[in-house]
Amino acid sequence: MRALIQRVSSASISIEGTPGGTIGAGYVILLGVGHDDDEATVRKLWEKVRKLRIFQDAEGKSNLSLEDVGGDALIVSQFTLYANCRRGNRPSYTDAGKPDEAERLYEAFVEMARADLTHVETGEFGADMAVQLVNDGPFTIWLDTDEL
């Protein structure tokens, strides 16, 4: 699995042109599922995201987690995180997981987030979405479970 995590002061999503969820301070998590991912991969990635200490403490150091600050999360499925651009100029997405399995694992990730956080919003798997956010910092982290 791959996740692009942006620390935000606020974010919102529209799905197929219809306004969706809104969050305050927390993370926008763009989530991609690969071929070899399973429930263990979901757990591994969520535990890393949950424990990331990228919020500032009283001394201004990045030392607090999303849970520590009572932060929100907006989780958006994004298969394009598996884009392969090695050949030519048109990305290939053959490394992305098959849609049915990818959706199941995306939903499992969302459920883990909801079990640990007070406020979680989502996009809609496979839909056309528009995400608006205010990147705080900016602070952006790339996680790939193959590298964790």
Side-chain angles (χ1 to χ4, degrees):
M1 290 186 96
R2 294 179 178 167
L4 182 73
I5 299 153
Q6 295 180 301
R7 187 181 74 188
V8 299
S9 53
S10 64
S12 63
I13 190 163
S14 293
I15 302 166
E16 305 286 349
T18 301
T22 300
I23 65 166
Y27 294 161
V28 169
I29 303 168
L30 304 177
L31 186 67
V33 178
H35 286 297
D36 298 327
D37 294 332
D38 57 18
E39 288 79 7
T41 310
V42 173
R43 168 72 53 202
K44 180 180 185 179
L45 182 59
W46 173 245
E47 287 302 314
K48 180 59 88 170
V49 170
R50 185 174 72 83
K51 294 177 182 177
L52 275 178
R53 297 184 315 169
I54 63 173
F55 289 93
Q56 292 183 347
D57 64 15
E59 286 89 43
K61 295 185 180 187
S62 296
N63 205 26
L64 300 175
S65 72
L66 189 60
E67 289 178 304
D68 292 336
V69 300
D72 300 340
L74 171 59
I75 305 170
V76 181
S77 173
Q78 190 167 352
F79 75 93
T80 61
L81 293 178
Y82 276 91
N84 181 331
C85 299
R86 288 184 213 124
R87 297 183 63 183
N89 295 317
R90 182 173 179 222
S92 168
Y93 302 104
T94 58
D95 293 337
K98 293 183 180 178
D100 288 345
E101 181 67 0
E103 183 174 13
R104 186 180 73 76
L105 296 174
Y106 164 77
E107 293 296 340
F109 186 90
V110 168
E111 287 310 309
M112 286 182 194
R114 286 190 168 135
D116 291 329
L117 303 176
T118 303
H119 185 203
V120 176
E121 296 287 347
T122 64
E124 182 180 316
F125 191 90
D128 181 42
M129 297 172 277
V131 178
Q132 292 184 314
L133 60 95
V134 178
N135 194 318
D136 180 22
F139 211 118
T140 303
I141 303 286
W142 169 259
L143 295 176
D144 186 326
T145 54
D146 288 341
E147 299 171 4
L148 296 179

